[in-house]
Amino acid sequence: ADWSNISLNQDGVPGKAARILIISNREFIPEAEDGAYFSRDLAEYRQVSYMLASCEGGNWQMHPAKDIFSGLDKINDGSDILLFVHGHGKNLPLVLTRANQIQDRYDVSLVVFDWPSYNSNFNKSLTNVRKCGENFYNLLLQMKQYREEKLKPGQKQSMLLHSLGNYFLTHMVLNGNNQYLEEKIFDNIILNAAAVKSKDHGEVISQLRFQDRLYVALNKNDRVLRGAHLLMYGKMLGNEALDPLVPRADYVDFTPVAGSQHTYFAGYHQFEDDLPAIKHFYSGAFHGEDVDFSDSTMFTASPGKKIYQIRLP
């Protein structure tokens, strides 16, 4: 996506049935002359905008929704719902591109929490996560309400946090808001390539109580996280899971197959299609399933620990 092929439809719904809901606290500029409807800056008073997005023939339409509940109603066709929280360095066109890849590859109804991360300064993105913490917490409360009122029996709801997006979760625990989230919101929470400190992660993440299962996806050679390691003065969870581990989490190690890659779920790389274990894991996790790691042709289990390494053929 690029701003040149994104149009804002203020009157009707997008031409193609939308299955992506964008929830953004960036500054919304509906009359932007250059077509950049969302800036790289945080909206005044952290105001949130809701947009239904659809892509057809390479062209995007975005249609404002009144609120999160009307937006969720529009994308809820009975499929499993996935909340995606992106990482550092994304403007809205990049977010739309990634959202489309996830929705198309895994056939989920997708909700995207879009926050102002398009910064050359990594520390500014860290600051923005802290500023956006209440928006994230309120979103979880709203998705809890929607699950209770609208999800059908057997319909699943999960959350994928990628890279620095994981900091929303750990920051919420550290500031104490997680103590008010005791009832189930998500079937699965996936901490993917987490740009948060690995030291003491188990103690922090073990406090989460609003999901059935936790999955941590990591790659020791992830070059993006190695850079974050230097900026944050500590090993990143997405590189290496240091003890103590989270007793209720499953750790999935992509090191043997992912090279130095940071993203290995969106279909960028040939190995994502060549190795059935990758689609098996992400598809199951995104659809709220209890992922089966028992197939020894796909996974190697670490004795005494819930760490499962992707196997080469």
Side-chain angles (χ1 to χ4, degrees):
D2 185 80
W3 285 121
S4 64
N5 63 354
I6 299 172
S7 61
L8 183 63
N9 185 342
Q10 293 275 24
D11 301 318
V13 296
K16 182 183 177 182
R19 291 181 64 191
I20 299 174
L21 173 63
I22 305 293
I23 299 171
S24 182
N25 58 10
R26 300 182 201 253
E27 180 188 12
F28 178 42
I29 312 170
E31 306 300 329
E33 293 183 1
D34 60 356
Y37 301 115
F38 285 86
S39 78
R40 65 176 63 190
D41 299 318
L42 187 62
E44 189 174 14
Y45 307 119
R46 298 169 180 78
Q47 183 175 348
V48 177
S49 300
Y50 305 94
M51 293 281 166
L52 293 160
S54 65
C55 183
E56 191 167 15
N59 294 310
W60 283 88
Q61 282 193 36
M62 298 185 67
H63 172 68
K66 182 178 66 173
D67 54 34
I68 185 174
F69 301 108
S70 61
L72 283 167
D73 282 344
K74 289 291 186 182
I75 69 167
N76 185 6
D77 60 358
S79 302
D80 297 321
I81 294 173
L82 180 68
L83 169 62
F84 172 52
V85 184
H86 64 77
H88 167 68
K90 299 292 186 290
N91 62 7
L92 190 66
L94 290 170
V95 170
L96 288 174
T97 298
R98 179 60 54 80
N100 196 48
Q101 291 164 337
I102 296 171
Q103 197 279 318
D104 185 60
R105 188 171 175 83
Y106 297 101
D107 192 28
V108 289
S109 292
L110 194 67
V111 182
V112 181
F113 178 56
D114 172 53
W115 57 284
S117 70
Y118 196 53
N119 311 296
S120 57
N121 188 321
F122 185 79
N123 287 322
K124 185 174 181 180
S125 287
L126 283 171
T127 300
N128 281 347
V129 171
R130 299 183 191 107
K131 289 180 178 179
C132 300
E134 287 303 311
N135 288 132
F136 176 72
Y137 176 65
N138 289 334
L139 171 59
L140 298 189
L141 293 177
Q142 290 166 328
M143 295 202 72
K144 174 179 179 293
Q145 181 180 345
Y146 194 82
R147 180 181 191 115
E148 293 169 349
E149 296 178 358
K150 294 294 185 73
L151 259 61
K152 300 174 183 177
Q155 192 177 6
K156 304 295 181 62
Q157 182 168 273
S158 298
M159 177 167 62
L160 164 66
L161 306 109
H162 179 61
S163 195
L164 191 59
N166 286 270
Y167 187 40
F168 280 98
L169 202 62
T170 56
H171 179 64
M172 184 182 70
V173 173
L174 293 173
N175 70 21
N177 275 343
N178 71 293
Q179 65 184 306
Y180 306 110
L181 299 176
E182 292 289 338
E183 298 175 354
K184 180 176 173 178
I185 303 175
F186 302 109
D187 295 274
N188 293 339
I189 295 177
I190 304 98
L191 288 74
N192 195 83
V196 297
K197 290 184 179 180
S198 187
K199 183 180 179 181
D200 301 326
H201 81 277
E203 184 177 332
V204 174
I205 298 170
S206 292
Q207 297 181 48
L208 300 174
R209 292 288 182 271
F210 53 90
Q211 79 290 330
D212 283 342
R213 291 169 289 274
L214 281 168
Y215 295 104
V216 180
L218 54 93
N219 172 18
K220 186 176 182 179
N221 300 318
D222 183 330
R223 63 176 178 270
V224 172
L225 294 182
R226 286 188 175 275
H229 172 185
L230 299 176
L231 292 169
M232 297 178 70
Y233 307 104
K235 287 187 177 180
M236 297 291 96
L237 174 58
N239 279 140
E240 184 177 355
L242 299 176
D243 290 330
L245 302 183
V246 182
R248 296 180 299 114
D250 292 314
Y251 294 77
V252 187
D253 185 1
F254 286 78
T255 302
V257 301
S260 60
Q261 299 302 324
H262 183 57
T263 302
Y264 27 84
F265 59 83
Y268 285 139
H269 315 292
Q270 188 61 45
F271 68 80
E272 296 175 63
D273 293 318
D274 291 343
L275 298 172
I278 296 177
K279 193 74 174 287
H280 172 83
F281 166 65
Y282 280 117
S283 183
F286 292 175
H287 281 275
E289 299 173 4
D290 186 356
V291 178
D292 182 6
F293 295 104
S294 64
D295 189 337
S296 61
T297 66
M298 294 195 292
F299 303 98
T300 301
S302 296
K305 293 185 177 181
K306 296 173 71 176
I307 301 176
Y308 305 95
Q309 196 170 73
I310 305 289
R311 290 194 62 172
L312 285 168

PDB file of all heavy atoms in Angstrom, residues 92-112:
ATOM      1  N   LEU A  92       0.898   4.227   8.225  1.00  0.00           N
ATOM      2  CA  LEU A  92      -0.336   3.485   7.983  1.00  0.00           C
ATOM      3  C   LEU A  92      -0.286   2.645   6.703  1.00  0.00           C
ATOM      4  O   LEU A  92      -0.769   1.502   6.716  1.00  0.00           O
ATOM      5  CB  LEU A  92      -1.537   4.418   7.970  1.00  0.00           C
ATOM      6  CG  LEU A  92      -2.874   3.665   7.958  1.00  0.00           C
ATOM      7  CD1 LEU A  92      -3.085   2.906   9.253  1.00  0.00           C
ATOM      8  CD2 LEU A  92      -4.034   4.614   7.714  1.00  0.00           C
ATOM      9  N   PRO A  93       0.276   3.144   5.578  1.00  0.00           N
ATOM     10  CA  PRO A  93       0.364   2.257   4.411  1.00  0.00           C
ATOM     11  C   PRO A  93       1.130   0.967   4.687  1.00  0.00           C
ATOM     12  O   PRO A  93       0.729  -0.111   4.224  1.00  0.00           O
ATOM     13  CB  PRO A  93       1.086   3.131   3.375  1.00  0.00           C
ATOM     14  CG  PRO A  93       0.688   4.521   3.720  1.00  0.00           C
ATOM     15  CD  PRO A  93       0.653   4.531   5.230  1.00  0.00           C
ATOM     16  N   LEU A  94       2.212   1.037   5.433  1.00  0.00           N
ATOM     17  CA  LEU A  94       2.947  -0.183   5.784  1.00  0.00           C
ATOM     18  C   LEU A  94       2.110  -1.100   6.669  1.00  0.00           C
ATOM     19  O   LEU A  94       2.150  -2.327   6.533  1.00  0.00           O
ATOM     20  CB  LEU A  94       4.254   0.182   6.492  1.00  0.00           C
ATOM     21  CG  LEU A  94       5.336   0.838   5.633  1.00  0.00           C
ATOM     22  CD1 LEU A  94       6.472   1.355   6.510  1.00  0.00           C
ATOM     23  CD2 LEU A  94       5.872  -0.132   4.597  1.00  0.00           C
ATOM     24  N   VAL A  95       1.339  -0.504   7.572  1.00  0.00           N
ATOM     25  CA  VAL A  95       0.457  -1.289   8.439  1.00  0.00           C
ATOM     26  C   VAL A  95      -0.606  -1.998   7.607  1.00  0.00           C
ATOM     27  O   VAL A  95      -0.914  -3.179   7.827  1.00  0.00           O
ATOM     28  CB  VAL A  95      -0.186  -0.392   9.506  1.00  0.00           C
ATOM     29  CG1 VAL A  95      -1.282  -1.135  10.259  1.00  0.00           C
ATOM     30  CG2 VAL A  95       0.869   0.110  10.488  1.00  0.00           C
ATOM     31  N   LEU A  96      -1.178  -1.303   6.630  1.00  0.00           N
ATOM     32  CA  LEU A  96      -2.193  -1.916   5.773  1.00  0.00           C
ATOM     33  C   LEU A  96      -1.612  -3.080   4.975  1.00  0.00           C
ATOM     34  O   LEU A  96      -2.264  -4.119   4.813  1.00  0.00           O
ATOM     35  CB  LEU A  96      -2.778  -0.872   4.829  1.00  0.00           C
ATOM     36  CG  LEU A  96      -3.699   0.179   5.447  1.00  0.00           C
ATOM     37  CD1 LEU A  96      -4.074   1.229   4.408  1.00  0.00           C
ATOM     38  CD2 LEU A  96      -4.960  -0.454   6.028  1.00  0.00           C
ATOM     39  N   THR A  97      -0.396  -2.902   4.472  1.00  0.00           N
ATOM     40  CA  THR A  97       0.251  -3.981   3.725  1.00  0.00           C
ATOM     41  C   THR A  97       0.401  -5.223   4.589  1.00  0.00           C
ATOM     42  O   THR A  97       0.039  -6.333   4.180  1.00  0.00           O
ATOM     43  CB  THR A  97       1.631  -3.523   3.216  1.00  0.00           C
ATOM     44  OG1 THR A  97       1.469  -2.422   2.321  1.00  0.00           O
ATOM     45  CG2 THR A  97       2.350  -4.649   2.491  1.00  0.00           C
ATOM     46  N   ARG A  98       0.918  -5.043   5.801  1.00  0.00           N
ATOM     47  CA  ARG A  98       1.106  -6.180   6.693  1.00  0.00           C
ATOM     48  C   ARG A  98      -0.235  -6.795   7.095  1.00  0.00           C
ATOM     49  O   ARG A  98      -0.380  -8.029   7.154  1.00  0.00           O
ATOM     50  CB  ARG A  98       1.880  -5.726   7.943  1.00  0.00           C
ATOM     51  CG  ARG A  98       2.135  -6.820   8.980  1.00  0.00           C
ATOM     52  CD  ARG A  98       2.944  -7.975   8.447  1.00  0.00           C
ATOM     53  NE  ARG A  98       4.191  -7.558   7.856  1.00  0.00           N
ATOM     54  CZ  ARG A  98       5.294  -7.258   8.542  1.00  0.00           C
ATOM     55  NH1 ARG A  98       5.304  -7.330   9.859  1.00  0.00           N
ATOM     56  NH2 ARG A  98       6.399  -6.900   7.915  1.00  0.00           N
ATOM     57  N   ALA A  99      -1.227  -5.958   7.364  1.00  0.00           N
ATOM     58  CA  ALA A  99      -2.546  -6.464   7.738  1.00  0.00           C
ATOM     59  C   ALA A  99      -3.135  -7.319   6.620  1.00  0.00           C
ATOM     60  O   ALA A  99      -3.714  -8.383   6.866  1.00  0.00           O
ATOM     61  CB  ALA A  99      -3.471  -5.297   8.068  1.00  0.00           C
ATOM     62  N   ASN A 100      -2.979  -6.862   5.383  1.00  0.00           N
ATOM     63  CA  ASN A 100      -3.517  -7.608   4.249  1.00  0.00           C
ATOM     64  C   ASN A 100      -2.822  -8.959   4.100  1.00  0.00           C
ATOM     65  O   ASN A 100      -3.456  -9.974   3.783  1.00  0.00           O
ATOM     66  CB  ASN A 100      -3.351  -6.783   2.974  1.00  0.00           C
ATOM     67  CG  ASN A 100      -4.210  -7.295   1.832  1.00  0.00           C
ATOM     68  OD1 ASN A 100      -5.394  -7.555   1.997  1.00  0.00           O
ATOM     69  ND2 ASN A 100      -3.589  -7.455   0.678  1.00  0.00           N
ATOM     70  N   GLN A 101      -1.501  -8.994   4.346  1.00  0.00           N
ATOM     71  CA  GLN A 101      -0.764 -10.248   4.272  1.00  0.00           C
ATOM     72  C   GLN A 101      -1.274 -11.250   5.309  1.00  0.00           C
ATOM     73  O   GLN A 101      -1.467 -12.432   5.003  1.00  0.00           O
ATOM     74  CB  GLN A 101       0.730  -9.981   4.487  1.00  0.00           C
ATOM     75  CG  GLN A 101       1.390  -9.215   3.355  1.00  0.00           C
ATOM     76  CD  GLN A 101       2.736  -8.636   3.739  1.00  0.00           C
ATOM     77  OE1 GLN A 101       3.010  -8.418   4.926  1.00  0.00           O
ATOM     78  NE2 GLN A 101       3.581  -8.381   2.759  1.00  0.00           N
ATOM     79  N   ILE A 102      -1.496 -10.779   6.528  1.00  0.00           N
ATOM     80  CA  ILE A 102      -1.979 -11.670   7.590  1.00  0.00           C
ATOM     81  C   ILE A 102      -3.381 -12.159   7.287  1.00  0.00           C
ATOM     82  O   ILE A 102      -3.673 -13.361   7.374  1.00  0.00           O
ATOM     83  CB  ILE A 102      -1.948 -10.938   8.953  1.00  0.00           C
ATOM     84  CG1 ILE A 102      -0.516 -10.580   9.347  1.00  0.00           C
ATOM     85  CG2 ILE A 102      -2.601 -11.797  10.038  1.00  0.00           C
ATOM     86  CD1 ILE A 102      -0.430  -9.676  10.564  1.00  0.00           C
ATOM     87  N   GLN A 103      -4.257 -11.239   6.910  1.00  0.00           N
ATOM     88  CA  GLN A 103      -5.656 -11.606   6.667  1.00  0.00           C
ATOM     89  C   GLN A 103      -5.764 -12.592   5.508  1.00  0.00           C
ATOM     90  O   GLN A 103      -6.505 -13.578   5.579  1.00  0.00           O
ATOM     91  CB  GLN A 103      -6.469 -10.336   6.390  1.00  0.00           C
ATOM     92  CG  GLN A 103      -7.970 -10.512   6.532  1.00  0.00           C
ATOM     93  CD  GLN A 103      -8.602 -11.145   5.311  1.00  0.00           C
ATOM     94  OE1 GLN A 103      -8.264 -10.813   4.179  1.00  0.00           O
ATOM     95  NE2 GLN A 103      -9.518 -12.066   5.543  1.00  0.00           N
ATOM     96  N   ASP A 104      -4.999 -12.350   4.457  1.00  0.00           N
ATOM     97  CA  ASP A 104      -5.070 -13.204   3.278  1.00  0.00           C
ATOM     98  C   ASP A 104      -4.444 -14.571   3.532  1.00  0.00           C
ATOM     99  O   ASP A 104      -4.961 -15.600   3.095  1.00  0.00           O
ATOM    100  CB  ASP A 104      -4.362 -12.507   2.113  1.00  0.00           C
ATOM    101  CG  ASP A 104      -4.494 -13.277   0.811  1.00  0.00           C
ATOM    102  OD1 ASP A 104      -5.628 -13.482   0.369  1.00  0.00           O
ATOM    103  OD2 ASP A 104      -3.460 -13.674   0.242  1.00  0.00           O
ATOM    104  N   ARG A 105      -3.335 -14.591   4.255  1.00  0.00           N
ATOM    105  CA  ARG A 105      -2.599 -15.848   4.462  1.00  0.00           C
ATOM    106  C   ARG A 105      -3.284 -16.760   5.474  1.00  0.00           C
ATOM    107  O   ARG A 105      -3.229 -17.993   5.348  1.00  0.00           O
ATOM    108  CB  ARG A 105      -1.173 -15.523   4.917  1.00  0.00           C
ATOM    109  CG  ARG A 105      -0.228 -16.714   5.001  1.00  0.00           C
ATOM    110  CD  ARG A 105       1.198 -16.243   5.244  1.00  0.00           C
ATOM    111  NE  ARG A 105       2.129 -17.337   5.445  1.00  0.00           N
ATOM    112  CZ  ARG A 105       2.717 -18.033   4.485  1.00  0.00           C
ATOM    113  NH1 ARG A 105       2.442 -17.764   3.231  1.00  0.00           N
ATOM    114  NH2 ARG A 105       3.569 -19.000   4.764  1.00  0.00           N
ATOM    115  N   TYR A 106      -3.957 -16.171   6.477  1.00  0.00           N
ATOM    116  CA  TYR A 106      -4.484 -16.989   7.571  1.00  0.00           C
ATOM    117  C   TYR A 106      -6.009 -16.963   7.683  1.00  0.00           C
ATOM    118  O   TYR A 106      -6.564 -17.622   8.567  1.00  0.00           O
ATOM    119  CB  TYR A 106      -3.844 -16.550   8.894  1.00  0.00           C
ATOM    120  CG  TYR A 106      -2.353 -16.764   8.898  1.00  0.00           C
ATOM    121  CD1 TYR A 106      -1.484 -15.697   8.673  1.00  0.00           C
ATOM    122  CD2 TYR A 106      -1.803 -18.031   9.091  1.00  0.00           C
ATOM    123  CE1 TYR A 106      -0.108 -15.889   8.652  1.00  0.00           C
ATOM    124  CE2 TYR A 106      -0.434 -18.230   9.062  1.00  0.00           C
ATOM    125  CZ  TYR A 106       0.413 -17.153   8.844  1.00  0.00           C
ATOM    126  OH  TYR A 106       1.766 -17.355   8.815  1.00  0.00           O
ATOM    127  N   ASP A 107      -6.667 -16.193   6.829  1.00  0.00           N
ATOM    128  CA  ASP A 107      -8.127 -16.206   6.755  1.00  0.00           C
ATOM    129  C   ASP A 107      -8.777 -15.939   8.117  1.00  0.00           C
ATOM    130  O   ASP A 107      -9.583 -16.722   8.620  1.00  0.00           O
ATOM    131  CB  ASP A 107      -8.629 -17.534   6.187  1.00  0.00           C
ATOM    132  CG  ASP A 107     -10.109 -17.473   5.817  1.00  0.00           C
ATOM    133  OD1 ASP A 107     -10.607 -16.377   5.495  1.00  0.00           O
ATOM    134  OD2 ASP A 107     -10.771 -18.532   5.883  1.00  0.00           O
ATOM    135  N   VAL A 108      -8.399 -14.818   8.709  1.00  0.00           N
ATOM    136  CA  VAL A 108      -8.999 -14.370   9.965  1.00  0.00           C
ATOM    137  C   VAL A 108      -9.642 -13.008   9.735  1.00  0.00           C
ATOM    138  O   VAL A 108      -9.303 -12.290   8.794  1.00  0.00           O
ATOM    139  CB  VAL A 108      -7.944 -14.247  11.094  1.00  0.00           C
ATOM    140  CG1 VAL A 108      -7.466 -15.610  11.551  1.00  0.00           C
ATOM    141  CG2 VAL A 108      -6.777 -13.365  10.657  1.00  0.00           C
ATOM    142  N   SER A 109     -10.581 -12.646  10.595  1.00  0.00           N
ATOM    143  CA  SER A 109     -11.064 -11.275  10.639  1.00  0.00           C
ATOM    144  C   SER A 109     -10.103 -10.495  11.521  1.00  0.00           C
ATOM    145  O   SER A 109      -9.863 -10.873  12.665  1.00  0.00           O
ATOM    146  CB  SER A 109     -12.489 -11.222  11.195  1.00  0.00           C
ATOM    147  OG  SER A 109     -13.387 -11.829  10.285  1.00  0.00           O
ATOM    148  N   LEU A 110      -9.547  -9.412  10.974  1.00  0.00           N
ATOM    149  CA  LEU A 110      -8.382  -8.784  11.597  1.00  0.00           C
ATOM    150  C   LEU A 110      -8.712  -7.414  12.174  1.00  0.00           C
ATOM    151  O   LEU A 110      -9.318  -6.569  11.513  1.00  0.00           O
ATOM    152  CB  LEU A 110      -7.266  -8.637  10.569  1.00  0.00           C
ATOM    153  CG  LEU A 110      -5.876  -8.315  11.109  1.00  0.00           C
ATOM    154  CD1 LEU A 110      -5.327  -9.487  11.926  1.00  0.00           C
ATOM    155  CD2 LEU A 110      -4.916  -7.990   9.974  1.00  0.00           C
ATOM    156  N   VAL A 111      -8.286  -7.224  13.429  1.00  0.00           N
ATOM    157  CA  VAL A 111      -8.347  -5.924  14.091  1.00  0.00           C
ATOM    158  C   VAL A 111      -6.903  -5.470  14.294  1.00  0.00           C
ATOM    159  O   VAL A 111      -6.083  -6.234  14.813  1.00  0.00           O
ATOM    160  CB  VAL A 111      -9.061  -6.008  15.456  1.00  0.00           C
ATOM    161  CG1 VAL A 111      -9.152  -4.626  16.108  1.00  0.00           C
ATOM    162  CG2 VAL A 111     -10.444  -6.623  15.299  1.00  0.00           C
ATOM    163  N   VAL A 112      -6.585  -4.248  13.887  1.00  0.00           N
ATOM    164  CA  VAL A 112      -5.221  -3.731  13.995  1.00  0.00           C
ATOM    165  C   VAL A 112      -5.206  -2.535  14.935  1.00  0.00           C
ATOM    166  O   VAL A 112      -5.953  -1.572  14.729  1.00  0.00           O
ATOM    167  CB  VAL A 112      -4.667  -3.306  12.621  1.00  0.00           C
ATOM    168  CG1 VAL A 112      -3.234  -2.792  12.769  1.00  0.00           C
ATOM    169  CG2 VAL A 112      -4.725  -4.461  11.633  1.00  0.00           C
TER     170      VAL A 112
END
